[in-house]
Amino acid sequence: MSTLLKSAKSIAPLLDRVLVQRIKAQPKTASGLYLPEKNVEKLNQAKVLAVGPGFTDNSGNKVTPQVNVGDQVLIPQFGGSTIKLQGDEEVLLFRDSEILAKIRE
């Protein structure tokens, strides 16, 4: 029994979780040819939609996530928890430590 969520705004990550949405690859080549949707590769780039508040470690130190809402990040090819939204959209939930890198513009 699964329920589709209306939007990513209704998801509030807990602890050190980060909610991201993959950036979609261009559906056409540099020469202007359009590619079939099934042949378009998934990118490892994503935009951060929401960030949890962090957590307190065993020593009592506050550990906050290293990314902020709006950051572009590199994510692993596999992993994370996929959440389906209405309209065939998907978002992914990762731990902060699973994020590979921030992309500087």
Side-chain angles (χ1 to χ4, degrees), residues 15-64:
L15 301 173
D16 64 336
R17 304 290 196 300
V18 179
L19 185 70
V20 300
Q21 185 170 29
R22 277 189 199 271
I23 296 173
K24 295 183 181 175
Q26 292 295 331
K28 65 180 183 175
T29 64
S31 61
L33 297 174
Y34 285 93
L35 300 170
E37 190 173 313
K38 66 180 180 179
N39 291 355
V40 175
E41 216 176 288
K42 285 187 178 180
L43 295 178
N44 285 13
Q45 294 181 18
K47 182 177 179 184
V48 176
L49 302 177
V51 179
F55 65 97
T56 305
D57 66 8
N58 293 335
S59 304
N61 299 322
K62 178 78 172 172
V63 179
T64 57

Side-chain angles (χ1 to χ4, degrees), residues 36-105:
E37 190 173 313
K38 66 180 180 179
N39 291 355
V40 175
E41 216 176 288
K42 285 187 178 180
L43 295 178
N44 285 13
Q45 294 181 18
K47 182 177 179 184
V48 176
L49 302 177
V51 179
F55 65 97
T56 305
D57 66 8
N58 293 335
S59 304
N61 299 322
K62 178 78 172 172
V63 179
T64 57
Q66 298 182 20
V67 296
N68 298 309
V69 173
D71 285 348
Q72 285 196 9
V73 295
L74 286 177
I75 56 174
Q77 187 70 30
F78 302 102
S81 299
T82 303
I83 301 168
K84 299 218 182 249
L85 303 176
Q86 284 183 347
D88 270 349
E89 288 196 46
E90 290 182 351
V91 292
L92 299 158
L93 198 58
F94 285 96
R95 287 189 176 275
D96 181 55
S97 59
E98 294 175 331
I99 303 288
L100 302 177
K102 273 191 203 181
I103 299 173
R104 295 185 187 149
E105 295 181 27

